[in-house]
Structure formats: structure tokens, C-alpha cells
Amino acid sequence: MASDCEPALNQAESRNPTLERYLGALREAKNDSEQFAALLLVTKAVKAGDIDAKTRRRIFDAVGFTFPNRLLTTKEAPDGCPDHVLRALGVALLACFCSDPELAAHPQVLNKIPILSTFLTARGDPDDAARRSMIDDTYQCLTAVAGTPRGPRHLIAGGTVSALCQAYLGHGYGFDQALALLVGLLAAAEAQCWKEAEPDLLAVLRGLSEDFQKAEDASKFELCQLLPLFLPPTTVPSECLRDLQAGLARILGSKLSSWQRNPALKLAARLAHACGSNWIPAGSSGSKFLALLVNLACVEVRLELEETGTEVKEDVVTACYALMELGIQECTRCEQSLLKEPQKVQLVSIMKEAIGAVIHYLQQVGPEKQKEPFVFASVRILGAWLAEETSSLRKEVCQLLPFLVRYAKTLYEEAEEANDLSQQVATLAISPTTPGPTWPGDALRLLLPGWCHLTVEDGPREILIKEGAPSLLCKYFLQQWELTSPGHDTSVLPDSVEIGLQTCCHIFLNLVVTAPGLIKRDACFTSLMNTLMTSLPSLVQQQGRLLLAANVATLGLLMARLLSTSPALQGTPASRGFFAAAILFLSQSHVARATPGSDQAVLALSPDYEGIWADLQELWFLGMQAFTGCVPLLPWLAPAALRSRWPQELLQLLGSVSPNSVKPEMVAAYQGVLVELARANRLCREAMRLQAGEETASHYRMAALEQCLSEP
């Protein structure tokens, strides 16, 4: 066996006889001085030429970790030897060992991370060759550790991120290596980096932003690629936003090639996604810049998606989608918009052409591509457009609706893949390496606002019904509702869940009004009605969820009119609980409020309703009308309303306030309910008479109620 090893050993010796001689001296060293001298020679030989993995392992076997550890931590150097020389020797050996990935992940290397990090910011002669060599070796060690599976986590915990930031900001020797390693750590573990070293990373961002704003050479294009990685997950400092906007305005206002323009568009997209339009200054310069951004994005989208036979630059186009979303938001903003009306008109026209290109692209998507993140991103921007505009491109949108329903159904049935697509889209759109803030992974939620508009129109509604959208929406609503049910922590739910539920309710309301036959014949709506009935009683009691309760109550009341013959509505505990909760919602909207200097109170909104009445009032009036329609269809409802004392309390309220304070539409809504209750039940009529109902009806000129109460 020894004979088998001799050729290899002889080959190694013939390849680097000097190194073998030094290793022999190291093995035979009898004290620290001899070992130190031999190590110097070994280190010199290693740096003089390349060595292979086997030779590196032989050096490690000869040296081990004990002596390098002593070199790194010793505070007493031999006479005439600067103390940093010993440390430099120790780092050089570690750098040699770290070239082996297995050794780079060794605990004896990982526990040196705090010491190595201090070397990056240590003061000393910047022209000292030994010190420069030690810094290079330190970066080599840290970079090797970062390349191991768990290395970034160890580096972050060891304080390396702060040290790298300080090294970069100091602009000393090796600061460019510090920046490169920072980029790698942020790409691997962005959240942890910011958690451990936010002040230092913000300082780097300030420096990079200032450099970007001042740059006049090609470095500004390189900074465009770096800066997205240094934007924090929280608030971006205002001074950084100013510098970034100024730098982008200078770049995008120039004539550029695509390789120069695209990184700038991606940086702008990241800023738009993180800050909305808050990073763009108000006034003429800001509006021109925003118009330029959206214009460039639309042109890029059309160039990429309308050309056939060329590969789409998906990351660039997805970034352009983010800028188009910003344009859509600003064009539809009524107050404090950055854009003037002529600019809005022009941008809407430009975006319409780009959306046409998106529709054209989606029409070509086959089943094999439906799970690709770029398709998801394209559906997202179309959903954002349809949420605000459905009248233009109507023919094209109608042609695409079957695909959109199938696509939404596919992702709904594979929800985990949808969430993964969300992360991939964020990666695609926000930066070249990191996911950044999460985009909604729920394709159906993205389409809900547009479908809400489309279900009002005959043509699109028929297509949606034919393709099975109502059944899909019912299943989706029931699934999302489970997230808000008891047993789930609703405080951690994103607002988008509740907004999605409200939008579903609006779509169902449209279908109740425009396609009542569908509600009666499709079994999914029976399941939906059961969920509404069992859920409303607890929902109306929850703080901060009044708007959702209003949607559920109104939808349930309208559906109850259509499903009045259903066994579930024949006075069952669930139906009684639902109508009791609906009465609670309808009855608590207004109160009598005293006014200074007047003996008579006025009718006013109750505190919980006042702040959201603009969003609530249409639902409330529709709910009053729907309840009125339910009374003659459900014989048990009038006695139940009487037991709740709603009719008595309503008359008492009207009798306690000035009739002049009650608007005509309120009088009509109240009279409608009171008349139907009086007609449906003799006991209701008697209770109303005892509550001065006839007198109140006369004061408010409720002729129908007055006549009804005058009858036996």
C-alpha cells in the first residue's frame, strides 16, 4: 500500500518541492519560534503559486487549527515583529483552509467570524503591504464562509454586516470587496441583515444614493443594479428618495440603450412598489417625471409583447407592470394626484395600448405556461386595469374572459403554487436577486374588482356565468370566510382578505339583481346563504368590521327574498339568528342627538357608522329595502321583529327628533319597513299604535303607514 502512495507523493514533491521542504520543517519544528518561521515559509510558498485541494488538505493536516488560533488571538509578538504580522499569518492560513468548502464550514472557522470582522475596520497604515494582504485574506475567508449553506446566518450573527458597512463607508483598502460581500449577504438573507444592522445598512444606502445622484459616468448604471438590494423593508429615508429620484430623472431623461435604461426602470419599479408615489416630488417636475416613467414602461411592454419570435425580457416587463400600476393609481386618484387632467388623459390612452399588448400575450398562453410567474404578473396588471376601466378594449376582454376564469380556477385549486408564484413574481419585478415585499399570490383576488364591474354588463356577465365563475366565486368566498371564522387570529390577516370578501359580496349583489334565476337554481348559492346566516350574528358584534357586516347582511337579505321557500329560511334557529343580527345592523345606524340652543334633538348617525357612512349608506338603504321585501314572504319574520322591539324603538326615535332633521329618503326607508310589518301582523299594528304610530306617521307625512294603522 505504501508503494501505491509513493508515486503520488513524489509527484506532489516534484510539482512543488519548495512547499514540501517547508512542510517538513513545520512537522519537525520543536518550539513556537521554529513553528512560526516554518509557517511563514509555508504561507509564502502557498501565495507564490496555485495549489490543489489535496495539497491544501496536507497543509491543514500539518498545521491544524491550534497554531492559527494562537496567532489570531496573541497579544505578545516577538521582538521586532509588529503584532499585525502574526494575525496576518493566521488569517493567511485560514484563507488557505477556507478554499476547501468543507473547512470553510468548520466550527473552528465559524467561531473566528467575530475576530475576522474586526480586522475589516482596524486602523493602520493604509500602505502597509502586510496589512493589505491580511485584509484580502480576511475577505477571502468571509466570502468562502458566505458560500456555505449556513454561512450567511453565521456571518450575520457574528456582526459581519455592520463591519462590512463600516468598511465600505470608510472607503479604505478593500472597500469594494466589502460592498460585494454585502450584496451577497443581502441576496441570501435580506430580512436577517436588516434586523441585525439596520442603522449601518441605512448609512450605506445614504452613501450609495448620494453617489448615484452625483454620478456622471457609467457607474450610475452599475448603481442602478445595486441600489434595489439596499432598499429597506421599512421606510426609506426621505433624503435617499430625493437622491434616487433625481438620479433616475437624469438617466431616464437621456437617450439610452436598453442595457442602460432597463436597470433604471427596475429600480424605479422597486421604489414604486415600496413607496407608491411618495418618492416623486409634487409639482411640475414630479408630474413630468411620473408621466415619463409610465410612458417608457408602456413602450417597453408593447415592444416586448407585440413582437413575435423574440424572447420576452420578463424581469424588465414585470418591472414595467409595476410602473403601469403606479400610473393607474395616479390617473384614478381624485385628490392630491401628481398628474394634471391632460396628462391623465394622455397616459390612459398610452396604457390602453400597453394593456392591449398584455391581452394579446395572454391569448397565446397555453396550459403548459399557466404556472409561470410572468403569466401571473400579466394577469395582475390586467386585473389592476379592469378594476378601474372596463369600457375600453371590451371585445378583447370578453374574448379573454374564458381564459381568465380557467386560470383563476387552476390557481385556486392549487393555492400553494399560487403563493409560490407570488414570491417568484416579486423576484421577477422588484430586484434581480431578492423577493422583496410579497405580491398577492391569489389570482382570483386580483380579478375580483374587474369582475365586479363586468357582472353589471349583460355580455361579460353571460360569459362569466357560462364559464362557471359564480360557482368558483362561491367556493372562494367560503374558503376565505374560513380564515375570518372563530378559531383563526383575524388580527394577523392582511386587509386584502376582508377587501376580497367585500368585493365578492358586491359581485353576488350584482348577480342577485341581474340574474335572480341563477341564484335560485345553482346549489352553490344555497351553501353561501347558509354561511351568511350562521356568520352574521357574531360578525355584527366585532369591532372594526361593520363594513363587512353590512355587505353580509345586505347580501343575505336580498338572497333571502329569492330563496324564501328554502327550508333553511322557515324560522330555523340559523334564520332567526341571521334576521336578528340584520335588524341590529339596520336599527343601530341612527340616534337622537341633542343640539345646543334647541329643545328638540336631531336624527344623527351613530358614532360607529359616522366615519364610514359614505361607503355604508348604499348598503344600508338596500338592506332596508330587502328586509321590507322579506316580511310578506316569511310569516314568522314580523313577530320576530316585534319581539326585538325594532318597530317600537324606531317610532320612538322618530318621535324624539325634529322631522326636519330626517331626510326624505330616510323617511321612505323607515316607512317601507313599518308598513310591511303592520300589514303582516295584527300585533305589530297594535304595538305601533301604542307607540303613537299614527301621530308620528302624520308628522312625517307617512300616508301609507297612517292609513295602515287606521285600519282594524
Side-chain angles (χ1 to χ4, degrees):
M1 190 164 179
S3 61
D4 293 337
C5 296
E6 285 175 3
L9 181 61
N10 293 336
Q11 184 179 9
E13 290 177 348
S14 64
R15 190 166 55 241
N16 196 339
T18 303
L19 176 61
E20 294 302 320
R21 188 167 66 252
Y22 293 161
L23 284 174
L26 180 62
R27 283 190 293 268
E28 296 170 4
K30 297 177 181 178
N31 53 49
D32 283 355
S33 297
E34 291 181 3
Q35 194 172 25
F36 176 63
L39 278 172
L40 284 174
L41 295 172
V42 168
T43 305
K44 181 178 179 181
V46 168
K47 290 190 175 183
D50 295 330
I51 57 173
D52 57 24
K54 287 185 178 180
T55 306
R56 188 183 307 113
R57 177 60 74 164
R58 292 182 63 234
I59 295 173
F60 172 72
D61 291 340
V63 177
F65 279 117
T66 303
F67 199 68
N69 290 348
R70 291 173 59 192
L71 292 173
L72 290 173
T73 57
T74 186
K75 296 182 180 179
E76 296 182 4
D79 293 340
C81 177
D83 58 354
H84 72 268
V85 171
L86 296 182
R87 292 195 293 272
L89 176 57
V91 176
L93 288 169
L94 281 183
C96 173
F97 299 161
C98 286
S99 300
D100 183 334
E102 185 179 341
L103 292 178
H106 195 284
Q108 287 285 355
V109 172
L110 299 179
N111 65 21
K112 302 299 180 301
I113 289 173
I115 297 175
L116 293 172
S117 297
T118 63
F119 295 163
L120 300 179
T121 56
R123 296 182 179 180
D125 182 359
D127 297 323
D128 187 323
R131 187 175 294 279
R132 288 192 170 201
S133 178
M134 182 178 73
I135 291 174
D136 286 335
D137 289 336
T138 299
Y139 281 118
Q140 184 177 337
C141 290
L142 297 175
T143 302
V145 172
T148 63
R150 299 169 67 87
R153 191 177 72 174
H154 288 291
L155 291 173
I156 294 166
T160 302
V161 176
S162 290
L164 290 170
C165 291
Q166 294 166 25
Y168 173 75
L169 293 170
H171 274 65
Y173 179 76
F175 79 98
D176 53 336
Q177 297 180 72
L179 184 62
L181 187 49
L182 266 179
V183 167
L185 289 177
L186 284 167
E190 179 185 26
Q192 293 91 327
C193 287
W194 281 101
K195 182 179 179 181
E196 291 293 328
E198 181 173 348
D200 295 302
L201 285 168
L202 286 176
V204 173
L205 174 61
R206 289 187 182 95
L208 291 173
S209 302
E210 188 175 348
D211 292 345
F212 179 62
Q213 193 271 335
K214 294 178 179 178
E216 299 289 348
D217 56 11
S219 65
K220 60 187 176 185
F221 303 115
E222 297 172 4
L223 286 169
C224 273
Q225 296 177 323
L226 284 177
L227 279 163
L229 291 164
F230 287 89
L231 294 179
T234 54
T235 305
V236 182
S238 57
E239 64 271 24
C240 297
L241 293 178
R242 284 194 299 269
D243 287 340
L244 293 173
Q245 189 276 329
L248 282 171
R250 188 180 297 113
I251 290 176
L252 294 173
S254 307
K255 189 174 182 180
L256 302 171
S257 60
S258 60
W259 74 267
Q260 295 170 321
R261 180 179 60 253
N262 291 346
L265 289 173
K266 291 167 76 172
L267 173 58
R270 176 68 194 269
L271 287 168
H273 191 60
C275 309
S277 60
N278 294 333
W279 61 286
I280 301 175
S284 175
S285 63
S287 64
K288 289 180 180 178
F289 174 70
L290 176 58
L292 174 65
L293 266 184
V294 178
N295 206 333
L296 288 172
C298 291
V299 169
E300 191 69 29
V301 167
R302 291 189 64 189
L303 284 174
E304 289 292 323
L305 299 185
E306 288 179 352
E307 286 194 22
T308 56
T310 59
E311 186 175 348
V312 176
K313 298 185 184 73
E314 295 181 351
D315 56 340
V316 178
V317 175
T318 310
C320 291
Y321 287 166
L323 296 175
M324 286 174 61
E325 278 199 52
L326 180 63
I328 292 170
Q329 292 166 8
E330 286 300 314
C331 284
T332 54
R333 180 178 294 180
C334 298
E335 297 180 359
Q336 297 182 331
S337 174
L338 292 172
L339 298 170
K340 297 178 181 177
E341 203 58 36
Q343 291 174 312
K344 291 182 179 181
V345 173
Q346 183 182 21
L347 285 183
V348 167
S349 176
I350 294 169
M351 287 191 289
K352 175 183 172 182
E353 295 175 349
I355 292 296
V358 174
I359 293 174
H360 171 74
Y361 165 78
L362 290 174
Q363 287 171 336
Q364 319 304 317
V365 172
E368 73 283 355
K369 285 190 172 184
Q370 285 194 12
K371 296 179 183 179
E372 293 184 3
F374 183 65
V375 175
F376 185 90
S378 301
V379 170
R380 174 189 168 93
I381 187 60
L382 178 59
W385 172 264
L386 292 177
E388 305 296 342
E389 173 57 62
T390 56
S391 59
S392 60
L393 300 169
R394 183 173 303 180
K395 178 182 177 182
E396 293 83 351
V397 169
C398 287
Q399 290 173 344
L400 191 65
L401 278 179
F403 164 80
L404 293 176
V405 175
R406 290 194 301 271
Y407 180 78
K409 184 178 181 181
T410 298
L411 264 63
Y412 166 75
E413 291 173 347
E414 302 174 12
E416 290 185 4
E417 291 193 26
N419 289 330
D420 183 56
L421 277 177
S422 165
Q423 292 291 339
Q424 293 181 55
V425 170
T427 304
L428 204 60
I430 305 306
S431 74
T433 52
T434 59
T438 304
W439 286 25
D442 188 344
L444 190 49
R445 190 180 303 159
L446 303 176
L447 295 168
L448 289 177
W451 287 7
C452 187
H453 298 315
L454 292 170
T455 47
V456 177
E457 304 175 25
D458 293 341
R461 181 176 62 252
E462 290 174 5
I463 296 173
L464 288 169
I465 292 173
K466 180 181 177 183
E467 296 297 328
S471 177
L472 173 62
L473 287 169
C474 283
K475 293 176 183 177
Y476 175 78
F477 181 90
L478 297 176
Q479 179 214 54
Q480 294 292 295
W481 191 262
E482 282 297 314
L483 300 176
T484 69
S485 61
H488 292 80
D489 185 1
T490 56
S491 64
V492 300
L493 285 178
D495 292 340
S496 56
V497 172
E498 191 150 315
I499 293 172
L501 288 169
Q502 292 177 24
T503 310
C504 278
C505 287
H506 295 167
I507 295 174
F508 295 141
L509 285 170
N510 290 340
L511 293 175
V512 167
V513 174
T514 60
L518 174 70
I519 308 299
K520 293 178 180 179
R521 69 173 179 268
D522 198 321
C524 70
F525 288 101
T526 302
S527 299
L528 176 61
M529 186 70 212
N530 291 334
T531 297
L532 299 179
M533 288 196 298
T534 57
S535 303
L536 186 62
S538 62
L539 184 61
V540 294
Q541 304 290 343
Q542 298 175 26
Q543 288 291 327
R545 309 190 73 191
L546 182 57
L547 193 54
L548 180 58
N551 278 276
V552 170
T554 305
L555 175 61
L557 289 169
L558 284 168
M559 289 180 62
R561 286 197 312 184
L562 298 176
L563 302 174
S564 60
T565 58
S566 167
L569 285 163
Q570 306 310 311
T572 61
S575 62
R576 289 180 181 275
F578 169 78
F579 276 93
I583 288 173
L584 194 64
F585 159 66
L586 296 171
S587 65
Q588 292 186 340
S589 61
H590 291 77
V591 294
R593 182 176 298 168
T595 55
S598 175
D599 295 335
Q600 207 166 15
V602 297
L603 189 71
L605 287 166
S606 60
D608 289 343
Y609 288 66
E610 193 168 15
I612 58 173
W613 186 246
D615 298 319
L616 201 64
Q617 61 177 334
E618 186 177 352
L619 290 168
W620 187 87
F621 280 108
L622 196 55
M624 290 288 284
Q625 181 183 350
F627 185 93
T628 301
C630 288
V631 172
L633 298 174
L634 301 171
W636 60 268
L637 184 53
L642 182 62
R643 285 192 296 272
S644 75
R645 293 193 54 79
W646 184 27
Q648 301 96 309
E649 291 173 357
L650 180 50
L651 287 169
Q652 183 180 4
L653 175 64
L654 291 173
S656 66
V657 300
S658 167
N660 293 331
S661 69
V662 186
K663 296 178 179 179
E665 60 268 26
M666 294 294 299
V667 174
Y670 286 147
Q671 179 175 224
V673 169
L674 292 170
V675 166
E676 286 301 332
L677 289 173
R679 286 174 178 169
N681 186 269
R682 178 180 58 82
L683 294 177
C684 280
R685 290 195 297 275
E686 292 177 0
M688 291 182 196
R689 292 191 192 105
L690 291 173
Q691 196 62 51
E694 292 177 272
E695 182 181 350
T696 301
S698 176
H699 286 160
Y700 285 90
R701 297 179 181 177
M702 297 180 176
L705 178 60
E706 191 172 6
Q707 181 181 351
C708 184
L709 293 180
S710 67
E711 297 173 356

